Amino acid sequence: MPTTGHHTLIRGGEIVTDTRQFRADILMRGESIEAIAPQIAAPTGCTTIDARDMLVFPGFIDPHVHIHLPFMGTLAKDTWETASKAALLGGTTTMIEMVCPASGDDPTAALEVWMSNARDRSACDYSFHMGVTRWDDTTEAALTSIVRRGVASFKVFLAYKGALGIGDEILYRTLALASRLGVVVTAHCENETLIAELSRELLAAGRTGPEAHHDSRPPRVEASGVDHLMTFAELTGAETYIVHLSCAEALERALAARARGVRVGIETLIQYLVLDKEDAERPNFEGAKFVMSPPLRDRSNQAVLWNALRRGDIDTVATDHAPFDFATQKRLGEHDFTKIPNGIPSLEERVKVLYGRGVAEGAIDLCTLVRVASTNAAKQFGLHPRKGSIALGADADLVIFDPRARSTISARTHASAVDYSAFEGMSVAGAVRDVWVRGARAVEDGRFVGRVGHGRFLARPHRSASLSMSGGTHG
Ligand code: URP
Ligand code: ZN
Ligand code: ZN
């Protein structure tokens, strides 16, 4: 591990940012990028890395992950140790985790639980979105103080009735507060009443398997959730961000709102770009591996999503990493699809698959890859230009990527603690070779060499003039 001021020189790589590609050397010093130039002379004692024929990306950012996730009667499988290793092996150097208190739980206490799970246990940098699941006389003050600590975004669920889901009063109050505090509200958009009624009808008709999950939450249910959020955003003036948008219908509603001036960022997931509804129809309950919400869609939606990434209509590609074991946890819903823990793990695979299926197959170019998997998330959530860029003074979060290698994805070799991969056997062009987090090597030749505990909490700024910040980057 470099000591303060240690130099590492990355020589001769093809640097890719969100806007351009150029050949140059990069000199890291301590935790930051000190120089970028065609031929940098190596300072004394410098470690030199040959990156000829390689691509050099800014560290990738995943703005939507679940690590500590008590959900649907069980607890997601990863810890910060396993998840941050998986992230780094996949080129992700910063993650933003959703804090998901059970409805009724105290937000400040919940944040402490999520923070203490990550503290000293993460090998990559991290931050949080604060889930809002209750509202009483103390909530506004509690959320204001949480924002002051640098957790400068909220998360609301318009689905999951009776669990994480919130009603319209809380939605309105959260958006109104966010508007005053100058923070973004991220939202899971599905109409929960429609889901409950459709699920009831499907179960009554004997459709109990994982393949019925899609029909309990068809595209119109998601589009309705998007419309709902957009109406509330319009009336409160809040800045919003739609998480895990899956289909053409929902995209159309979000873009219509954006066109009339609603402030909305749009995220899709790597799962929706390469997996589809037929995966959740696999026999022998295998489909349960692919149950998530919103569900995997008809394949025709994939081209719409890739086009929207290319055009800049969709801003980010995240994972919504939610790891539940197939052998035990997914089986909780063996006789009732509504009890299958929702979620697909994809933390380690996001960048590889986005490159292999996106860039290598011509769906997006390299700058778009960087934009949607790194820079836009940094900009949206107050981390730019420290993160998401290759620039003087930025954090030395860098990924050397070998475009000529191939990666084959398997649960047998992945770092996540979950017992299956939704991408099992997929072979994709390209491989993550080396990764640095603030100047410290975390991956070398595809092997994890980082340090659990190196990861740092990133306090993010809000945009309210009247609110001061407290705390530092250590939370
Ligand atoms: O199915 C999903 N997406 N599980 C994780 C929780 C959420 O809704 O983001
Ligand atoms: Zn969600
Ligand atoms: Zn999620």
Side-chain angles (χ1 to χ4, degrees):
M1 195 187 81
T3 52
T4 308
H6 180 84
H7 281 108
T8 304
L9 179 63
I10 298 182
R11 207 183 261 305
E14 176 82 0
I15 297 173
V16 187
T17 72
D18 61 322
T19 52
R20 66 195 189 110
Q21 238 177 284
F22 57 103
R23 195 165 300 279
D25 298 348
I26 301 176
L27 183 64
M28 307 181 225
R29 179 178 189 174
E31 300 198 341
S32 316
I33 295 176
E34 189 178 66
I36 305 166
Q39 291 284 342
I40 299 175
T44 316
C46 172
T47 305
T48 300
I49 309 289
D50 183 359
R52 274 172 304 169
D53 301 326
M54 299 289 147
L55 300 169
V56 185
F57 296 123
F60 292 100
I61 299 170
D62 192 337
H64 182 175
V65 302
H66 300 274
I67 298 164
H68 177 64
L69 179 63
F71 185 50
M72 297 183 74
T74 188
L75 184 64
K77 273 306 290 287
D78 274 317
T79 61
W80 270 90
E81 281 97 330
T82 57
S84 61
K85 282 182 192 171
L88 287 162
L89 286 163
T92 294
T93 52
T94 297
M95 302 194 271
I96 312 184
E97 190 190 17
M98 300 291 176
V99 176
C100 296
S103 50
D105 279 3
D106 174 66
T108 310
L111 178 61
E112 192 42 46
V113 169
W114 264 259
M115 278 190 159
S116 64
N117 273 308
R119 198 177 288 133
D120 302 327
R121 296 201 184 115
S122 180
C124 69
D125 283 353
Y126 60 93
S127 194
F128 300 99
H129 301 293
M130 185 64 216
V132 181
T133 53
R134 82 167 196 192
W135 201 279
D136 61 23
D137 292 349
T138 64
T139 305
E140 188 163 323
L143 292 176
T144 303
S145 129
I146 284 168
V147 166
R148 229 187 232 124
R149 289 169 67 186
V151 179
S153 46
F154 298 147
K155 169 71 185 287
V156 291
F157 292 90
L158 310 194
Y160 306 134
K161 213 181 180 73
L164 300 167
I166 54 164
D168 286 349
E169 260 178 34
I170 301 186
L171 177 60
Y172 187 88
R173 289 174 191 186
T174 304
L175 288 163
L177 177 65
S179 178
R180 290 198 297 281
L181 297 179
V183 300
V184 184
V185 179
T186 71
H188 174 134
C189 298
E190 288 182 299
N191 181 306
E192 61 180 5
T193 306
L194 288 172
I195 296 165
E197 291 305 309
L198 291 170
S199 300
R200 196 175 51 77
E201 288 174 6
L202 286 160
L203 291 174
R207 293 194 55 199
T208 58
E211 65 286 349
H213 177 73
H214 179 274
D215 293 349
S216 71
R217 326 167 86 105
R220 191 57 57 89
V221 164
E222 187 181 344
S224 162
V226 167
D227 268 337
H228 200 71
L229 178 76
M230 294 297 89
T231 303
F232 279 61
E234 203 162 8
L235 292 176
T236 54
E239 184 175 355
T240 53
Y241 174 90
I242 297 167
V243 299
H244 51 41
L245 184 132
S246 72
C247 61
E249 264 185 70
L251 179 63
E252 188 212 308
R253 307 313 305 150
L255 293 178
R258 191 183 267 171
R260 63 178 193 267
V262 178
R263 294 192 295 159
V264 57
I266 305 173
E267 167 196 286
T268 191
L269 306 179
I270 192 62
Q271 294 92 306
Y272 299 131
L273 290 164
V274 299
L275 303 174
D276 67 71
K277 158 179 191 293
E278 287 183 16
D279 288 307
E281 293 164 2
R282 294 191 196 183
N284 305 322
F285 198 61
E286 282 278 310
K289 292 177 178 171
F290 302 89
V291 165
M292 65 170 301
S293 297
L296 297 178
R297 299 300 187 190
D298 183 88
R299 198 171 301 153
S300 58
N301 288 283
Q302 292 176 356
V304 175
L305 299 177
W306 284 112
N307 286 340
L309 287 171
R310 237 187 352 256
R311 279 200 304 268
D313 287 344
I314 292 181
D315 304 289
T316 54
V317 176
T319 61
D320 189 14
H321 181 74
F324 296 103
D325 271 349
F326 177 63
T328 50
Q329 295 171 299
K330 290 279 186 181
R331 290 213 179 268
L332 293 170
E334 207 157 2
H335 305 293
D336 176 348
F337 71 86
T338 65
K339 296 191 167 57
I340 300 171
N342 285 199
I344 296 181
S346 51
L347 198 43
E348 194 168 332
E349 295 83 14
R350 177 182 65 133
V351 172
K352 297 177 198 175
V353 175
L354 201 52
Y355 180 90
R357 289 296 184 85
V359 177
E361 296 187 7
I364 55 170
D365 63 20
L366 282 167
C367 291
T368 303
L369 170 79
V370 170
R371 187 159 47 80
V372 301
S374 180
T375 313
N376 280 354
K379 287 181 175 167
Q380 176 80 66
F381 296 113
L383 295 168
H384 195 264
R386 181 177 167 195
K387 304 288 190 190
S389 68
I390 296 183
L392 298 186
D395 280 359
D397 295 349
L398 295 168
V399 175
I400 297 186
F401 191 88
D402 184 350
R404 286 173 191 78
R406 285 195 81 79
S407 317
T408 300
I409 297 167
S410 174
R412 284 191 300 280
T413 50
H414 72 193
S416 169
V418 72
D419 70 354
Y420 79 98
S421 171
F423 309 91
E424 186 68 40
M426 189 184 279
S427 167
V428 285
V432 172
R433 197 189 83 176
D434 304 299
V435 178
W436 287 262
V437 181
R438 284 179 285 102
R441 189 82 164 258
V443 175
E444 186 172 342
D445 275 333
R447 283 174 303 106
F448 179 75
V449 295
R451 185 174 63 81
V452 165
H454 175 74
R456 198 176 276 169
F457 168 68
L458 303 168
R460 296 178 289 114
H462 52 75
R463 299 193 187 110
S464 166
S466 57
L467 197 69
S468 64
M469 292 277 290
S470 73
T473 53
H474 296 275

